[in-house]
Amino acid sequence: MYLEKLLVTLLAAPVVAPVPTTVAHQVVAQAPAQPAPAPAAPKAEAPKATAAPKAPEKKVAPEVKELVERMQAFYEKTQDFSADFKQDYKYKALRRTQTSTGTVIYKKPGLMRWEYQKPSTRTFVLAGEKVYAYDPEAQTLSVGRIDTSQLSASVTFLFGQGKLADEFSISKGACKDCKGTLLVLDPLKEDPRFRQVRLEVDSKTAQVLKSTVVDPDGSENAIAFLNLKTNVGVGADAFKINPPDGTRIDDFTKPRK
């Protein structure tokens, strides 16, 4: 659950695991047989070609255009960052909020580590197309795979890659308690992973102070970044997980026997 929620709501990307061969065989076996070909019918006149639907119009509100560009440029030149974080996940159906705290570090290209400290200790590492979830209390390490080509620009812009204006209509939101400017990002195309993204951005530094992802069911995953430091020289070893002996490892990236 923690791994799925982290990726789907925070990173907005589904976990991809290989389909077991036995399952694939069952699907094929249960497919209905193809019916016998019917007698040829008289050729009908080909329908006239219809115009392709227009692509959604890109729109960035003029009042935030300069800030969006500076924010994009900031993360394009950022090689690494570290921060404390506070996460509030509001379950709409259950009408309750779960609060978590910890630290996060990032290093180009595509290395990210989340250390959850409260309410329980857990570690999540994104390394390329692999995701590692370590639970020291349960003594388990799960390994999954994500298709990084399917990551939303709401994530990849932090890596200095995606262009927010290519995927979202961006406007300024009203927020009394915000410490920065609130950007409201509405997908140009319907996305099954999330309904909306909101970014609270420091108007001076163009850093993201808080990110909120609204799930399709209306639940909200808000993460505030505190004590953010950039280009501090984070080493690659910081993203390695070395579980102690006796840890059960579930590697979903390997074919099942």
Side-chain angles (χ1 to χ4, degrees), residues 33-170:
Q34 294 295 323
K43 293 184 178 180
E45 183 179 351
K48 296 182 180 179
T50 56
K54 293 183 179 180
E57 183 180 356
K58 299 178 183 179
K59 179 181 177 182
V60 177
E63 59 184 340
V64 296
K65 185 175 184 296
E66 188 266 344
L67 178 59
V68 171
E69 292 175 348
R70 286 199 296 118
M71 177 179 63
Q72 192 85 51
F74 174 84
Y75 285 97
E76 286 177 358
K77 67 182 181 182
T78 297
Q79 297 301 312
D80 61 58
F81 65 76
S82 64
D84 300 325
F85 73 83
K86 178 177 179 288
Q87 179 183 26
D88 293 310
Y89 192 93
K90 297 180 181 179
Y91 296 87
K92 183 177 181 179
L94 301 178
R95 295 184 178 180
R96 70 178 179 88
T97 299
Q98 177 176 303
T99 298
S100 306
T101 58
T103 61
V104 58
I105 55 174
Y106 164 75
K107 179 180 177 64
K108 285 184 179 178
L111 293 172
M112 185 172 280
R113 181 174 186 136
W114 297 80
E115 287 284 355
Y116 279 77
Q117 298 166 349
K118 295 180 180 180
S120 58
T121 303
R122 281 179 172 80
T123 301
F124 299 95
V125 173
L126 173 65
E129 293 191 344
K130 285 192 175 183
V131 182
Y132 302 83
Y134 175 55
D135 185 337
E137 294 182 5
Q139 294 184 310
T140 59
L141 174 63
S142 301
V143 186
R145 177 178 286 116
I146 63 171
D147 184 355
T148 53
S149 66
Q150 298 301 314
L151 285 171
S152 165
S154 62
V155 177
T156 56
F157 94 95
L158 293 172
F159 303 163
Q161 298 172 354
K163 299 291 185 182
L164 291 173
D166 289 343
E167 294 186 23
F168 297 92
S169 173
I170 307 175

